[in-house]
Amino acid sequence: MQYALITDLHSSLPDTRAVLKDIQTTAPNAVVFSLGDVHECHIGKKRAKRYVFEEIEHVVTLDPDFLKLVFFETLLGNQEERLFSLIPVGVSRVLDQLRLSDRTKQLASARFIHGDQLKWSYDLTPDTSEYPDRLLFFGHSHVRGLFKNGKRLVVHPGIPISIKRGRYAINVGPVLVEREWLLYDTTAETITFYRAR
């Protein structure tokens, strides 16, 4: 089974379109799965504490062209959590449907999260000690990365990496701006980082 993992779309139509096209070309049979932050919340964390809801357009842009691209299952990221805290239930059918999504997903020895649950160092190294899973996939930091047994490894896009032995923390990298995604092959036990043009 192949999974095309994406994260941190932040409502970017051109970047999402480019990544999905690259996935279709490179791995047409892969199941597309998002690790969250599909939508961009226009209200920052500090302002959210005192924000009073008036209109949905002030909080999020639900572009119909972008929504046509969002056919895949997704986890909830911190952007979605903030949207839900600001927009009442019943205002948007799209967001109400999204509220049913999970924050984490388990698949055999692999766990998928958004990444805002992790503690991050100054150099964007994640502390994954609270997650004992052999394979941990995430995003959030907008910097792709691969860590084996806690040590950062160098990765080269387009080259499959065996993940048969050891404990791995895998930062997929963002769709927004960088147009990155990751192919996870559960049969071959490999991951491959990609960057769409």
Side-chain angles (χ1 to χ4, degrees):
M1 187 77 175
Q2 291 185 327
Y3 292 90
L5 304 179
I6 58 176
T7 188
D8 300 292
L9 289 66
H10 293 274
S11 302
S12 174
L13 176 61
D15 295 329
T16 302
R17 184 180 282 146
V19 166
L20 292 176
K21 182 179 177 184
D22 197 43
I23 290 170
Q24 184 59 39
T25 301
T26 307
N29 296 320
V31 173
V32 179
F33 183 71
S34 165
L35 305 182
D37 279 8
V38 171
H39 300 284
E40 174 70 21
C41 182
H42 302 320
I43 309 297
K45 283 189 284 189
K46 290 182 181 177
R47 191 171 155 222
K49 294 175 184 175
R50 62 185 188 281
Y51 181 79
V52 178
F53 180 77
E54 294 176 1
E55 295 182 28
I56 192 169
E57 291 79 12
H58 294 168
V59 184
V60 64
T61 302
L62 296 175
D63 177 356
D65 290 330
F66 177 75
L67 293 178
K68 287 176 188 172
L69 300 177
V70 184
F71 64 87
F72 41 80
E73 181 183 351
T74 186
L75 296 178
L76 299 178
N78 54 293
Q79 294 290 313
E80 285 82 19
E81 293 289 352
R82 194 176 320 140
L83 289 174
F84 300 156
S85 73
L86 299 172
I87 301 172
V89 174
V91 171
S92 166
R93 186 175 48 82
V94 170
L95 294 182
D96 287 347
Q97 184 67 33
L98 189 59
R99 290 175 198 268
L100 303 174
S101 299
D102 296 317
R103 280 289 267 159
T104 184
K105 180 182 177 100
Q106 189 78 39
L107 179 69
S109 63
R111 180 180 296 271
F112 305 89
I113 62 174
H114 176 61
D116 59 313
Q117 304 95 316
L118 302 172
K119 293 174 185 168
W120 295 84
S121 70
Y122 181 75
D123 69 347
L124 296 178
T125 299
D127 177 358
T128 61
S129 59
E130 291 185 27
Y131 293 88
D133 309 87
R134 194 178 78 74
L135 302 174
L136 181 66
F137 294 90
F138 54 92
H140 181 63
S141 71
H142 292 223
V143 178
R144 78 168 176 245
L146 177 62
F147 304 85
K148 181 178 182 182
N149 301 325
K151 295 183 180 179
R152 186 185 296 268
L153 303 177
V154 175
V155 297
H156 301 285
I159 299 174
I161 301 165
S162 174
I163 51 172
K164 290 181 180 178
R165 292 186 177 85
R167 183 172 173 265
Y168 292 88
I170 303 138
N171 191 336
V172 171
V175 168
L176 180 68
V177 180
E178 303 300 334
R179 298 185 174 186
E180 294 177 330
W181 63 280
L182 183 128
L183 184 64
Y184 170 38
D185 190 319
T186 62
T187 304
E189 293 187 80
T190 60
I191 56 169
T192 309
F193 289 88
Y194 287 98
R195 188 171 188 177
R197 294 182 179 179

